[in-house]
């Protein structure tokens, strides 16, 4: 409905523009030719002709409409504040109003070269066009991004500030163009207020890119499981939270030897999350409302693409196999290790100021850059103690050499040990983080048989991802698609399986399944700054100013990661070429300025 209303407003504005063209002795029919009409309007306003090209860009063209409205109102001798506000905010109505206003006469913009205010000329115009330019660059070329979680630690690290190349796989046209500039899904300084309106919704469309998603590419994408969120606990998947509610309720019932069917626990979880005042089972805080988010407003995640459309993925004892071929482990991949010690080398279990669990020997953890976020301390016979630590293999080798460390063993989850939080969340597929699959990754045009035994794998593709919202139901062994019985399904797009290099501390496709191609955003290509956060590095990550003269191990700044381009998760420094380029630009500018001064004197 919103799209229809918007289309009507645009047509009305074209009609009003035809009246304005007639007043300025321009053929009225030109007002009804999209883009060309704004080319003519640019000439009439004595503005650059290329302004009309901005009207092609979804989202940005809405801002540009207001710029045209503001200047048109002044050019037709309507510079009053109320006229300018209407023309800037609702230019569609303003064009129509000006067209039928007999007092609106074309006088041009020359009279406003000095008036009405230097602020408009010197500040407002540059700010508006800076926003327009930045929105175009951010939306279609390069977007700044911060690594929010340790999923790819130590390849791309928490605190890495990087740029994402949206042309890597083709930039997407915004599907919700009515949005606050530079905000993603939430307004700045708020936690729950939407930064966008869904009055206008555009269909999915992607411009051509430089290539396609390949195995082992690091990819930025919109989080598929983020189509629904609980506003007061956005750090956890809405669907995963429901599964935890089901699991805990079932565990509680089993204590009293109560055994209910799965449908009972699903209904219980749905009822629990539907009441915003119900307490979060982890923190006790109110859950808050459920919000639905369109694809382009879902959280940005960054993972490694371990399997592409058409692959068969299998994980055996933590090693990935693609179509039967074992894959090389990323150099910085992290795993859980059981570290057996003859003394309390890493200290005792504790909590940091932010409430996060850790171990009390913070200095030792910080030295080896170990984030002890999921610690385990277990006493063993003969006064020994076992820690569970998450770290890369090369760090594990260093830990083995520490005094009083008896052994370091990689922890691997056993085969056929079912985890309810692991996709496809069915006991029929008893998979876990280290033993998973085999799973065929859907490919566009591929047809698979569908029945109640494998529906849990493909249901979200069928009812959400592939072709809008559809109703999937079962009756006996029969599957129904929008009330029509089906025995097979043909995929409408390619899908991918994304994983973090931090193999035991990553919410990835093992948790929520496939990533559709229409969720793919781009590829990280440049890290310009990298800092440690005190949450993860309580010792070295504590101070901004004191770290300025410290090395990367002792201070907050990871100097070696500054100004690096990214290649498959490996960083390559371009500090020297960058500094040389800056010096060359500065030198050329100084030379050009002096040359101009000499020419002026002569």
């Amino acid at each position: 409905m919103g799209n229809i209303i918007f289309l009507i407003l645009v047509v009305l504005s074209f009609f009003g523009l035809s009246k304005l063209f007639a007043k300025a002795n321009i053929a009225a029919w030109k007002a009804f030719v999209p883009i060309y009409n704004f080319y003519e309007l640019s000439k009439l306003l004595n503005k650059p002709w290329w302004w009309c090209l901005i009207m092609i860009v979804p989202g940005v063209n809405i801002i540009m409409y207001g710029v045209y409205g503001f200047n048109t109102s002044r050019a037709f001798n309507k510079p009053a504040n109320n006229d300018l506000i209407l023309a800037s905010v609702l230019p569609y109505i303003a064009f129509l109003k000006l067209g039928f206003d007999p007092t609106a006469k074309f006088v041009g913009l020359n009279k406003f070269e000095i008036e009405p205010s230097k602020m408009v000329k010197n500040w407002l115009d540059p700010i508006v066009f800076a926003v327009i330019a930045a929105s175009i660059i951010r939306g279609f070329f390069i977007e700044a991004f911060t690594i929010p979680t340790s999923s790819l630690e130590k390849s791309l690290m928490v605190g890495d500030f990087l740029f994402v190349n949206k042309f890597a796989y083709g930039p997407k046209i915004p599907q919700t163009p009515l949005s606050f500039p530079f905000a993603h899904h939430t307004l700045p300084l708020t936690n729950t207020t939407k930064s966008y309106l869904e009055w206008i919704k555009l269909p999915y469309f992607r411009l051509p890119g430089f290539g396609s998603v390949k195995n082992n590419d690091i990819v930025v994408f919109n989080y598929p499981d983020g189509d629904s969120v609980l506003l007061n606990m956005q750090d956890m998947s809405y669907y995963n939270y429901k599964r935890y509610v089901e699991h805990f309720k079932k565990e509680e019932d089993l204590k009293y030897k109560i055994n209910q069917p799965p449908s009972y626990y699903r209904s219980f979880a749905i009822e629990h999350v539907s009441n915003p005042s119900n307490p979060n089972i982890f923190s006790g805080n109110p859950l808050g409302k459920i919000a639905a988010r369109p694809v382009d407003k879902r959280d940005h995640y960054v993972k490694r693409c371990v399997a592409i459309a058409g692959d068969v993925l299998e994980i055996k004892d933590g090693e990935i196999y693609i179509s039967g071929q074992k894959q090389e482990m990323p150099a910085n991949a992290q795993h859980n290790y059981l570290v057996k010690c003859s003394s309390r080398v890493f200290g005792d279990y504790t909590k940091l100021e932010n409430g996060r669990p850790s171990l009390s020997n913070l200095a030792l953890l910080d030295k080896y850059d170990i984030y002890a976020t999921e610690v385990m301390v277990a006493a063993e016979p003969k006064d020994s103690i076992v820690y569970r630590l998450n770290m890369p293999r090369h760090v594990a080798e260093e830990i083995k050499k520490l005094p009083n460390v008896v052994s370091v063993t990689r922890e691997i989850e056993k085969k056929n040990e079912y985890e309810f939080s692991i996709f496809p969340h069915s006991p029929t597929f008893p998979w876990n983080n280290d033993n998973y699959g085999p799973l065929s990754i859907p490919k566009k045009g591929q047809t698979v048989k569908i029945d109640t035994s494998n529906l849990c794998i493909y249901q979200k593709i069928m009812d959400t991802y592939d072709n809008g919202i559809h109703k999937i139901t079962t009756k006996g062994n029969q599957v129904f698609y929008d009330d029509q019985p089906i025995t097979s399904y043909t995929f409408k797009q390619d899908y991918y399986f994304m994983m973090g290099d931090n193999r035991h501390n990553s919410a990835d496709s093992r948790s929520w399944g496939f990533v559709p191609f229409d969720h793919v955003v781009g590829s990280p290509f440049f890290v310009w700054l990298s800092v440690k956060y005190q949450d993860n590095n309580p010792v070295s990550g504590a101070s901004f100013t004191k770290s300025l003269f410290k090395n990367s191990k002792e201070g907050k700044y990871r100097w070696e990661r500054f100004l690096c381009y990214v290649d498959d998760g490996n960083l390559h420094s371009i500090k020297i070429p960058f500094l040389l380029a800056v010096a060359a630009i500065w030198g050329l500018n100084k030379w050009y300025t002096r040359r101009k001064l000499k020419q002026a004197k002569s």
Side-chain angles (χ1 to χ4, degrees), residues 353-396:
E353 291 181 4
N354 60 7
R356 178 178 291 184
S358 186
L359 297 169
S360 56
N361 193 343
L362 297 177
L364 188 60
L365 293 174
D366 203 89
K367 178 181 178 181
Y368 291 99
D369 206 19
I370 296 172
Y371 304 167
T373 55
E374 294 185 4
V375 301
M376 180 191 77
V377 182
E380 292 251 322
K382 299 181 181 179
D383 298 324
S384 61
I385 189 166
V386 176
Y387 300 96
R388 177 190 287 132
L389 299 176
N390 187 250
M391 51 191 170
R393 183 171 60 186
H394 68 270
V395 174

